[in-house]
Amino acid sequence: NPAASPWPHRRDHSLPSAPASSHPPAPPAMEDAYAKSVAEVLQAFGVDRTKGLSDSQVVEQHASLYGKNVLPQEESTPFWKLVLKQFDDLLVKILIAAAVVSFLLARLNGETGLTAFLEPSVIFMILAANAAVGVITETNAEKALEELRAYQADVATVLRNGCFSILPATELVPGDIVEVGVGCKVPADMRMVEMLSHQLRVDQAILTGESCSVAKELDSTSAMNAVYQDKTNILFSGTVVVAGRARAVVIGVGSNTAMGSIRDAMLRTEDEATPLKKKLDEFGTFLAKVIAGICILVWVVNIGHFRDPSHGGFLRGAIHYFKVAVALAVAAIPEGLPAVVTTCLALGTKRMARLNAIVRSLPSVETLGCTTVICSDKTGTLTTNMMSVSKVCVVRSVHQRPITDEYSISGTTFAPDGFIYDASENQLEFPPQSPCLLHIAMCSALCNESTLQYNPDKKSYEKIGESTEVALRVLVEKVGLPGFDSMPSALNMLTKHERASYCNHYWENQFRKISVLDFSRDRKMMSVLCSRKQQEIMFSKGAPESVMARCTHILCNDDGSSVPLTMDIRNELEARFQSFAGKDTLRCLALALKRMPEGQQSLSYADEANLTFIGLVGMLDPPRDEVHSAIHSCMSAGIRVIVVTGDNKNLYVGKLVRLSI
């Protein structure tokens, strides 16, 4: 029903099938689109920004050239090749030869039954175990390449023939105009062409490891040898929009995307012989030469004895001494060496698999023993990539010392499970009874554009939007609601889906949002005008230095009164902020409110003055539980750990020290 669609003239249609033809490989993505203006990029693809591509353009000019927007599936190695690959080793080949010769000699000596098969069977069992472990590990490694497909979008909102359509993301082609908004997974590499909101922010941590979202813009950049971070006008496939709406033109699909380049780099990785494999190959070669030399020498030395009457003739004598030479060769082969090596590597591989490590081949386990430096990404590797509020600072009272109160919050995931503790580490039974915590919950729920939801398939809580804003939503759930003595236990009776945002929905239903001032780089803050029971209140959040500079009053936690913000209190709050950001390495936000004239329906930047300070929240991207012991293990083994991060230098040093101690 077109009338029910939020888009004007929207209709759903599928891409016409392209005629079968043999074309050369797809042209590469427009790699310098970031350095060109919007008009130049659109002209290069021959697309009208108001109409998009026509069906004929898609079929004739693009679909047949570029193919589908999907990462091509790697041609899996046939099972029989994987099996044969496990026997492509000199020592293994020598061992196979030894087993065969051992069996033949046993038969020639008249041995029958189990005796003839015993030694060859043991050898072949060892080789079969070696092959089985190798095939399993390599199969698991190949599956890991396909995990990149999980980052691909399913559908996209595309402008074609002058109207918007919802199409499978696989049917996008370079030149398509695509619209994205909050929560959208970017379906292809795209160049920004139009901003539909005040700003657009994208979470591209999967590419750059940045824990903060990145602001995108329309202007071209002149950076030389630009990396992903420099391409501020490019939306990369697989990243997620966390704020704003915009339109962009597709410049690369499938393998010609940033995600595709990662996959190609993984496939181009050449197998390099490990030090152990090199030593074993050298030993095998040396052993093969020595054994061959001994066999020939023994056989040649005994040529004069070939005619001995006891052998029954020259030919029988030659065969007899050949059997002697072969027996010496078999005796010289260390049958136990491959077995011991394989067993040790298999045990190492199994142990690493339990720790979710992917091992492509058994000998690569040995390289860990030669490691002297480990370079690790920080965000999402050493940390959980889930922001959470860990500390809150509020003003207690201006009439007694200490002026401020500090609370700590447990829980380091997006799950709304955790408790609030005071400075004496006593758990607060009813946090909403504290005026400042109550107003912090209100501001965090209302001055927020993110969403927290429960995913029953993954059995975990997930975010849509900025990580910092989702952390505030989780804080709201931990604070709870006022007026109910049974609130903590009552919340636990909800389903996980209801519990995800129950308290947030309560405040959103209590207040009616009227107007929003989006975050901007110059102001470093965001404000929202809300109405409740004939009262208009503006809630603000942002960088502490920006918010506190606009505050003239503070909210007291003892009695909920509002008093003037003196220089002494300001200095105390500044000291707390520096402690949070410096010593504790927390990302800080300040929250404030302001009563507005009754009936006001809009906000301006001038309204962000004479605010009442509510509190300061400090949040972190917590390290994983196992990081502490892992770093100590590396240091104990003499391995240098290098953390690759885009953090501020001082912030990074503080985090690394905290991870290490």
Side-chain angles (χ1 to χ4, degrees):
N1 179 10
S5 173
W7 303 100
H9 311 298
R10 170 167 291 187
R11 60 186 176 90
D12 292 336
H13 61 82
S14 300
L15 183 70
S17 58
S21 59
S22 57
H23 287 273
M30 191 175 183
E31 296 180 355
D32 61 346
Y34 65 90
K36 296 182 179 295
S37 66
V38 172
E40 288 176 321
V41 175
L42 294 175
Q43 183 179 5
F45 289 108
V47 58
D48 185 339
R49 67 190 301 171
T50 62
K51 296 181 180 179
L53 295 175
S54 64
D55 287 342
S56 60
Q57 282 182 297
V58 171
V59 175
E60 296 172 8
Q61 301 178 27
H62 296 284
S64 56
L65 285 175
Y66 295 91
K68 285 189 174 292
N69 178 33
V70 61
L71 292 177
Q73 188 168 1
E74 181 187 8
E75 205 172 299
S76 59
T77 306
F79 179 77
W80 64 271
K81 281 190 176 181
L82 282 177
V83 174
L84 289 180
K85 183 180 177 183
Q86 310 310 314
F87 298 96
D88 188 18
D89 183 86
L90 186 57
L91 267 181
V92 172
K93 293 175 182 176
I94 293 175
L95 203 55
I96 292 174
V100 172
V101 171
S102 176
F103 173 72
L104 293 177
L105 288 176
R107 296 292 293 173
L108 289 174
N109 288 334
E111 296 179 12
T112 58
L114 185 63
T115 308
F117 289 96
L118 183 59
E119 186 174 345
S121 298
V122 172
I123 294 175
F124 280 119
M125 284 174 62
I126 294 171
L127 294 177
N130 176 25
V133 173
V135 169
I136 292 171
T137 54
E138 293 201 25
T139 301
N140 290 338
E142 287 186 358
K143 289 179 181 177
L145 291 175
E146 297 304 313
E147 292 297 320
L148 289 176
R149 292 176 175 269
Y151 292 106
Q152 291 185 291
D154 296 323
V155 296
T157 303
V158 189
L159 178 63
R160 285 185 182 172
N161 304 304
C163 64
F164 281 99
S165 306
I166 299 178
L167 296 177
T170 56
E171 296 185 359
L172 289 179
V173 295
D176 267 328
I177 303 293
V178 177
E179 184 164 317
V180 293
V182 176
C184 287
K185 189 177 288 185
V186 178
D189 279 9
M190 305 189 295
R191 167 67 159 88
M192 295 270 291
V193 298
E194 185 178 357
M195 193 80 74
L196 301 177
S197 60
H198 182 74
Q199 64 168 345
L200 185 82
R201 300 188 70 84
V202 177
D203 178 1
Q204 54 186 42
I206 59 171
L207 287 178
T208 62
E210 296 163 292
S211 56
C212 298
S213 60
V214 178
K216 295 297 181 178
E217 56 189 23
L218 298 176
D219 297 335
S220 58
T221 176
S222 57
M224 300 296 292
N225 300 321
V227 295
Y228 293 141
Q229 291 91 331
D230 296 327
K231 300 176 182 179
T232 53
N233 52 25
I234 302 295
L235 306 180
F236 297 104
S237 175
T239 59
V240 180
V241 178
V242 297
R245 286 174 56 226
R247 289 177 188 165
V249 59
V250 176
I251 60 172
V253 296
S255 296
N256 294 323
T257 61
M259 196 62 63
S261 65
I262 293 176
R263 178 186 176 279
D264 291 343
M266 293 173 69
L267 293 177
R268 285 197 303 267
T269 303
E270 295 182 1
D271 291 334
E272 184 177 347
T274 65
L276 176 63
K277 185 168 177 55
K278 290 178 181 177
K279 290 291 184 182
L280 289 176
D281 286 345
E282 290 174 3
F283 177 72
T285 303
F286 171 76
L287 192 62
K289 292 178 180 177
V290 170
I291 291 174
I294 291 175
C295 289
I296 294 172
L297 182 63
V298 169
W299 195 73
V300 170
V301 166
N302 288 280
I303 288 179
H305 300 285
F306 286 1
R307 299 183 182 276
D308 195 313
S310 61
H311 300 315
F314 182 86
L315 182 59
R316 289 183 175 273
I319 294 175
H320 171 77
Y321 285 107
F322 175 73
K323 289 166 59 178
V324 171
V326 171
L328 287 173
V330 171
I333 295 175
E335 290 94 339
L337 179 60
V340 171
V341 172
T342 298
T343 303
C344 291
L345 294 180
L347 290 174
T349 300
K350 185 178 179 181
R351 184 179 178 188
M352 292 177 70
R354 283 202 301 265
L355 300 175
N356 298 321
I358 297 172
V359 181
R360 295 204 72 169
S361 60
L362 284 179
S364 63
V365 177
E366 176 266 340
T367 57
L368 288 177
C370 305
T371 301
T372 56
V373 177
I374 292 179
C375 295
S376 172
D377 179 34
K378 178 181 72 67
T379 303
T381 303
L382 296 180
T383 66
T384 62
N385 199 20
M386 287 187 278
M387 296 295 293
S388 60
V389 175
S390 62
K391 286 189 176 182
V392 173
C393 175
V394 298
V395 176
R396 181 169 66 171
S397 173
V398 296
H399 302 298
Q400 54 182 336
R401 294 279 179 176
I403 296 176
T404 59
D405 269 338
E406 187 174 303
Y407 298 99
S408 57
I409 294 90
S410 64
T412 57
T413 67
F414 291 146
D417 305 322
F419 303 99
I420 300 178
Y421 301 87
D422 60 20
S424 302
E425 298 187 359
N426 297 317
Q427 181 183 332
L428 299 186
E429 284 193 54
F430 305 108
Q433 291 180 353
S434 302
C436 286
L437 288 179
L438 178 64
H439 284 81
I440 284 176
M442 290 184 196
C443 184
S444 299
L446 297 167
C447 196
N448 203 311
E449 299 294 327
S450 67
T451 302
L452 178 66
Q453 61 186 16
Y454 181 74
N455 187 329
D457 296 329
K458 297 182 179 179
K459 296 183 179 180
S460 63
Y461 291 90
E462 295 181 342
K463 70 180 179 75
I464 297 177
E466 288 276 11
S467 295
T468 52
E469 292 196 335
V470 175
L472 292 178
R473 288 220 179 270
V474 176
L475 174 62
V476 175
E477 300 299 324
K478 293 177 181 178
V479 172
L481 300 177
F484 299 95
D485 291 342
S486 62
M487 177 52 63
S489 57
L491 288 174
N492 293 332
M493 296 174 66
L494 298 172
T495 65
K496 291 184 180 293
H497 178 73
E498 294 172 326
R499 183 67 186 92
S501 297
Y502 186 85
C503 299
N504 282 276
H505 289 161
Y506 172 84
W507 292 119
E508 289 170 344
N509 292 331
Q510 288 290 310
F511 289 85
R512 180 173 59 90
K513 284 189 181 183
I514 300 174
S515 179
V516 177
L517 281 179
D518 289 327
F519 177 91
S520 64
R521 272 189 259 179
D522 53 346
R523 291 161 41 248
K524 295 182 180 178
M525 61 185 297
M526 169 191 177
S527 298
V528 57
L529 178 62
C530 300
S531 175
R532 179 175 184 249
K533 297 180 180 179
Q534 309 299 316
Q535 289 184 348
E536 275 66 45
I537 302 176
M538 181 181 72
F539 293 99
S540 301
K541 78 169 190 295
E545 60 270 22
S546 298
V547 173
M548 287 195 289
R550 292 171 166 82
C551 290
T552 56
H553 290 73
I554 56 164
L555 185 68
C556 294
N557 201 35
D558 276 356
D559 55 11
S561 61
S562 177
V563 299
L565 176 58
T566 64
M567 187 56 67
D568 288 342
I569 301 174
R570 190 181 294 275
N571 292 337
E572 176 72 16
L573 291 174
E574 286 283 353
R576 286 286 186 176
F577 167 49
Q578 294 301 329
S579 175
F580 277 16
K583 178 184 175 183
D584 298 323
T585 64
L586 302 178
R587 181 176 300 162
C588 298
L589 287 177
L591 308 179
L593 60 79
K594 178 183 179 182
R595 291 191 180 276
M596 306 299 288
E598 185 177 343
Q600 182 165 338
Q601 296 296 307
S602 62
L603 285 178
S604 66
Y605 295 151
D607 291 322
E608 294 178 325
N610 302 319
L611 305 179
T612 298
F613 178 84
I614 306 175
L616 182 72
V617 298
M619 55 189 73
L620 55 79
D621 183 3
R624 297 183 184 274
D625 294 336
E626 59 271 25
V627 168
H628 175 82
S629 58
I631 290 182
H632 268 288
S633 297
C634 289
M635 290 180 173
S636 301
I639 299 174
R640 182 185 175 198
V641 179
I642 297 177
V643 181
V644 182
T645 176
D647 281 345
N648 174 277
K649 182 178 180 180
N650 295 329
L651 184 64
Y652 156 68
V653 172
K655 283 184 178 178
L656 186 57
V657 169
R658 188 172 63 187
L659 288 171
S660 303
I661 61 177

